[in-house]
Amino acid sequence: MFEKLFAAGDTNSLTMDAPHPASLLDSGVQGVISRPIDRVEGPLKVSGTATYAAEYRIDDMVHGVLVGAKIGHGTVESIDCDAVRLMPGVIDVVIDFDTFIRNSQQGGETNAPTQGVRQVDYFGQIVAIVLADSFENARAAAQALPIRYTKKEGQYAFEEHRDEAEPCQDDQVQGHYKQGDVDAAMAEAPVTLDVTYVTPSQNSAAMEPHASIAVWNDDALTLYGSYQMPTSDAEQLAKSLGVAKDKVRIISRYIGGGFGSKLGIAPESVAAAIASRRLGRPVKAVMARQQVFDATVRRSNTEQRVRFAARTDGKLTAVAHNSLTSNLPEETYFEPVGICTHFLYSGENRSITHDQVTLNILLSGSMRAPGEAVGMVGLECAMDELAETLGMDPIELRKVNDPDRDPEQDVPFSSRQLSRSLDEGAKMFGWDQRNRTPGSRREGEWLIGIGVSSAARSNMLQQSSAKVEIHPDGSATVSSAMTDIGTGSYTIMAQIASEILGIPVERITMSLGDTNDPPAAGSGGSWGAASAGSAVYLACERLREKLAAAMDVDVDVLTLKDGMAIGDNRQKAIGELVGEGMQALGEIKPGKNEKLHRQASYGAHFAEVGVNAVTGEVRVRRMLGVFAAGRILNAKTARSQCLGGMTFGIGCALTEDLIHDQRTGKLVNRDLAEYHVPVNADVPQLDVHFLDERDIHANPIHAKGIGELGICGAAPAIVNAVYNACGVRVREMPITCDKLLAGLPPV
């Protein structure tokens, strides 16, 4: 619809059907691209003036507190609203058994989530919202609200139902893939490995809780929400409410972390919107921390059987990665555990399958690097075990199996620097000092070891658009429904516009996170900066052509720098060339190129740990991540993303474990006191190194996603280091003292 707002020739649209070898960012005339520029919104955040979803001040607003079910499976028979309506400050209790959403929606989906909350599928499912004149009054009434249930027998224990798993249907990846004959290859190979690794459920635990403020203006809704993908989220919300999508606007300017938990709408959005429409007043609903854990999404637990068949030189002849995960009834999403196993290593015989167990526990959905973050625990720890079985160096084993072409699709890689990442990382980290015999290096009570893992994350391009305007004073505005969840989108997109248009970054105003602006895929899947950034690039490319025409010079000889246009021995202020203003729309779309090349980012993780020989305590002493992800758009924000991902890896390996009561499905550790994410004391010096790379097949800015690459392989590097330190191989995450003590060498 935005194209209608632009005159013919104002829109620059590109479908990636072929490589894009030339890039306007290569010139570096303005000198801002790739530099470690401070975040443009940083001063707002550190001064507390960046407005997050729950912080908008709106006249006549009431406070809503959500009410969760206190059974794991069954039916809500009745809710006694009158019992709390006379409590202090209470305005109303709103229930809508048909329209309230039962659980969150997956990212990118445009359909409504599962609706209808009379049927309870999991403990904590939102069934009502209490409205009052203050949060405290609403909370008191919500806690006192009487609800009568009919309980049904639920399925809560994964182990009890693992044999009832059903094959996953193709979703974001293939549910089942087979090539050749793995069993025959295993029978014939001189060296084989067959191991099982287990990871528990995990929670995104973003700093900002899920929150929505709903405001109706006649029949149109504005929702101030903490959401990563406003364009598709607005469609989800419209369909949930039964209104036209052009009647829903989502504003999500700043997001205090999401990690996938805010990709799709969550129950508080629909509850606030329905309550606001009925009451005729704005309604704010903020999830308590416990409700974020109870009623948004989790990363599924996994059970991964990994089998390898290899020649004596380490060359793989068979790779099998077969996983079990879990989710709610009737949910098609599954944790794509084997997503990078498809292309990471060679092997002509292959089996990568996903089966799912139905449980009445919280929805399983996307969490940072869905698939790879936990799938590489099984794959990369198994590679470490195979290296030991073969008597090979773990790095050498990975390099021997680094394929020249995609081993399944038989297409070239768009770019691939896995072996180089391993080699350079080994030199930087001091891999040659690694003790080959586990448990042989000791410093007092501490057993010291180092481990390695490959890193890989699929690269995706998503349809996105952006508008760029140049104003008569020489400043510019960039607008898009793209979001910034702390990754640096505001800064990166301003840098792209600055580099191409020659306008200083400080003279560029960014407008993000509003569905009134051109639609974008939003933040998720590590596609945000490359997709929306490419849209900004295309809009600026069209503006360069317009500026050249206004100056009557060929665009190829036009130089834009520091607010000036220079060409044919003339220069003029850019603002003087735009009249009353000049604008363009850029739009990027995925095309044939993504099928013609396997696109992914690569890297290597190195970790050194100490294991206390007396207590079994594990301490990460240092880590190094070496990454190749196309053009690095901002060295500071990219490094920050990798540091965050590596910290996630520490949590996956050592601390994070979402525990459900197997009698009711209720979450036992449902806050940040009991769900243990790494804190400062757990995180040592982390080093990040980027390899120079340009991927001409990915997009016109030659960049690839990096937000999730940092977590991929981080955990198994630590797990492998623990084995190297003490000789105890732990295959069930997280590694806690009790899993090490019995196998530690005598003191």
Side-chain angles (χ1 to χ4, degrees):
M1 63 179 177
F2 282 90
E3 287 85 343
K4 297 177 183 178
L5 303 177
F6 289 80
D10 281 354
T11 299
N12 190 13
S13 183
L14 173 66
T15 300
M16 284 299 295
D17 286 329
H20 198 285
S23 177
L24 293 171
L25 298 181
D26 289 335
S27 66
V29 173
Q30 187 65 19
V32 295
I33 204 67
S34 299
R35 287 183 52 207
I37 290 176
D38 292 343
R39 294 174 184 266
V40 297
E41 85 286 8
L44 295 176
K45 289 181 175 178
V46 298
S47 63
T49 52
T51 307
Y52 289 81
E55 297 177 334
Y56 287 89
R57 297 182 178 181
I58 299 172
D59 292 340
D60 204 29
M61 184 170 67
V62 303
H63 296 267
V65 169
L66 302 170
V67 181
K70 297 297 187 282
I71 62 171
H73 188 44
T75 305
V76 178
E77 295 298 336
S78 64
I79 299 178
D80 189 357
C81 301
D82 290 338
V84 300
R85 281 196 172 111
L86 295 179
M87 291 180 66
V90 173
I91 297 170
D92 201 357
V93 179
V94 175
I95 57 175
D96 190 328
F97 288 128
D98 296 324
T99 310
F100 276 18
I101 60 177
R102 199 178 305 168
N103 44 253
S104 298
Q105 179 59 295
Q106 304 297 342
E109 295 286 342
T110 54
N111 291 322
T114 303
Q115 291 182 270
V117 298
R118 188 180 290 277
Q119 174 185 321
V120 176
D121 277 344
Y122 60 94
F123 200 105
Q125 176 183 305
I126 303 303
V127 296
I129 183 171
V130 178
L131 308 177
D133 58 0
S134 70
F135 166 73
E136 291 78 10
N137 285 335
R139 180 179 60 185
Q143 291 171 343
L145 184 67
I147 304 178
R148 189 167 61 86
Y149 307 95
T150 296
K151 295 182 181 180
K152 297 179 183 178
E153 184 177 350
Q155 297 188 173
Y156 310 116
F158 181 80
E159 282 298 321
E160 291 180 9
H161 298 280
R162 61 181 306 283
D163 294 335
E164 303 166 16
E166 296 288 337
C168 296
Q169 302 303 309
D170 292 354
D171 190 31
Q172 70 276 42
V173 297
Q174 288 177 284
H176 279 231
Y177 177 85
K178 292 187 178 180
Q179 175 180 305
D181 190 332
V182 168
D183 291 336
M186 292 286 288
E188 296 170 2
V191 181
T192 61
L193 183 76
D194 187 342
V195 293
T196 298
Y197 278 80
V198 173
T199 63
S201 293
Q202 299 170 353
N203 190 276
S204 294
M207 183 162 48
E208 179 199 21
H210 293 62
S212 290
I213 298 176
V215 183
W216 288 89
N217 184 7
D218 295 327
D219 61 346
L221 169 68
T222 297
L223 187 95
Y224 301 89
S226 184
Y227 286 114
Q228 297 176 228
M229 304 173 70
T231 298
S232 57
D233 293 339
E235 292 193 55
Q236 294 176 11
L237 187 55
K239 289 181 180 177
S240 299
L241 299 171
V243 301
K245 65 180 181 180
D246 62 357
K247 295 295 186 180
V248 174
R249 176 188 184 189
I250 289 181
I251 297 175
S252 190
R253 299 288 188 195
Y254 301 101
I255 305 168
F259 311 118
S261 70
K262 300 173 182 174
L263 290 175
I265 61 171
E268 100 292 335
S269 63
V270 173
I274 291 173
S276 175
R277 183 163 57 182
R278 289 194 185 178
L279 195 63
R281 295 172 61 182
V283 170
K284 174 163 72 172
V286 181
M287 281 191 171
R289 177 63 61 186
Q290 291 81 4
Q291 289 176 327
V292 172
F293 275 81
D294 280 344
T296 57
V297 293
R298 65 183 170 97
R299 192 200 298 278
S300 174
N301 59 303
T302 76
E303 180 183 298
Q304 307 172 43
R305 183 187 180 193
V306 182
R307 290 177 291 159
F308 291 137
R311 302 192 314 229
T312 55
D313 63 357
K315 190 71 173 177
L316 292 169
T317 58
V319 176
H321 196 171
N322 311 118
S323 62
L324 291 177
T325 59
S326 66
N327 212 341
L328 284 168
E330 301 177 12
E331 289 292 334
T332 59
Y333 173 87
F334 62 90
E335 183 76 17
V337 176
I339 190 169
C340 76
T341 309
H342 285 284
F343 61 87
L344 191 53
Y345 298 122
S346 58
E348 55 269 31
N349 301 287
R350 311 175 73 81
S351 171
I352 302 165
T353 63
H354 303 83
D355 295 332
Q356 190 136 277
V357 178
T358 296
L359 295 178
N360 291 111
I361 61 175
L362 173 65
L363 177 74
S364 166
S366 297
M367 179 174 157
R368 193 175 192 175
E372 294 100 335
V374 288
M376 293 190 76
V377 172
L379 181 67
E380 288 299 295
C381 291
M383 283 292 281
D384 200 65
E385 294 200 50
L386 180 62
E388 183 181 43
T389 302
L390 287 162
M392 286 185 69
D393 183 280
I395 291 179
E396 187 60 29
L397 174 64
R398 289 169 170 83
K399 291 170 59 180
V400 165
N401 290 288
D402 189 356
D404 295 325
R405 295 172 66 85
D406 185 292
E408 294 176 4
Q409 299 177 10
D410 193 31
V411 296
F413 295 100
S414 61
S415 64
R416 183 176 172 112
Q417 296 201 66
L418 175 60
S419 289
R420 184 185 168 199
S421 298
L422 290 162
D423 286 340
E424 293 205 13
K427 292 177 183 177
M428 296 175 67
F429 199 72
W431 181 258
D432 59 345
Q433 302 300 311
R434 169 181 177 266
N435 52 299
R436 294 179 65 94
T437 304
S440 61
R441 180 183 166 194
R442 187 164 184 152
E443 297 178 5
E445 289 187 356
W446 295 92
L447 300 163
I448 313 300
I450 65 175
V452 68
S453 171
S454 298
R457 167 68 181 168
S458 297
N459 183 66
M460 294 171 278
L461 180 69
Q462 297 289 324
Q463 183 171 348
S464 294
S465 54
K467 180 176 70 173
V468 181
E469 302 170 86
I470 304 176
H471 308 296
D473 64 356
S475 66
T477 299
V478 177
S479 55
S480 172
M482 173 60 181
T483 52
D484 191 329
I485 57 172
T487 50
S489 302
Y490 279 103
T491 310
I492 291 165
M493 294 169 72
Q495 284 177 268
I496 293 170
S498 174
E499 190 64 63
I500 299 173
L501 298 178
I503 297 174
V505 168
E506 58 270 19
R507 301 215 66 204
I508 296 177
T509 299
M510 297 296 304
S511 175
L512 298 182
D514 186 342
T515 55
N516 274 4
D517 286 331
S523 299
S526 294
W527 61 59
S531 299
S534 292
V536 173
Y537 174 99
L538 293 169
C540 293
E541 184 178 48
R542 181 53 46 88
L543 288 173
R544 281 181 59 90
E545 295 168 357
K546 288 185 167 190
L547 290 170
M551 195 171 175
D552 194 24
V553 299
D554 191 286
V555 70
D556 292 333
V557 302
L558 177 68
T559 297
L560 301 175
K561 181 176 173 59
D562 296 333
M564 302 299 293
I566 306 164
D568 288 348
N569 294 317
R570 292 180 287 123
Q571 71 173 20
K572 202 167 187 179
I574 291 173
E576 296 177 18
L577 297 172
V578 303
E580 295 182 359
M582 185 181 289
Q583 65 179 11
L585 181 76
E587 183 181 43
I588 189 77
K589 300 177 184 178
K592 298 176 183 177
N593 212 42
E594 67 178 9
K595 302 291 185 183
L596 300 175
H597 295 83
R598 167 68 77 172
Q599 295 186 23
S601 300
Y602 298 92
H605 289 279
F606 295 82
E608 178 181 285
V609 305
V611 178
N612 191 286
V614 178
T615 66
E617 176 188 2
V618 178
R619 284 289 177 191
V620 181
R621 293 158 57 106
R622 60 189 178 106
M623 290 182 73
L624 167 68
V626 179
F627 305 109
R631 187 195 306 273
I632 301 301
L633 298 170
N634 182 307
K636 181 179 289 186
T637 59
R639 179 177 181 271
S640 178
Q641 285 299 292
C642 292
L643 293 177
M646 293 162 73
T647 302
F648 261 68
I650 296 173
C652 178
L654 301 179
T655 67
E656 295 189 48
D657 187 356
L658 201 59
I659 301 170
H660 291 265
D661 186 326
Q662 297 195 1
R663 300 165 298 176
T664 64
K666 178 181 180 180
L667 265 174
V668 176
N669 53 338
R670 49 203 279 269
D671 56 36
L672 294 176
E674 297 296 334
Y675 180 77
H676 295 156
V677 297
V679 297
N680 282 349
D682 301 311
V683 183
Q685 178 63 41
L686 306 180
D687 292 323
V688 173
H689 177 69
F690 295 115
L691 301 182
D692 186 59
E693 183 179 70
R694 302 286 185 270
D695 193 331
I696 65 173
H697 303 282
N699 47 61
I701 61 178
H702 301 167
K704 293 192 287 191
I706 201 169
E708 292 164 299
L709 181 63
I711 190 177
C712 301
I718 295 168
V719 177
N720 293 336
V722 169
Y723 174 74
N724 182 248
C726 66
V728 181
R729 183 74 71 177
V730 179
R731 300 192 181 96
E732 182 177 350
M733 301 304 112
I735 298 178
T736 47
C737 301
D738 57 300
K739 298 170 185 174
L740 291 173
L741 281 171
L744 292 177
V747 177

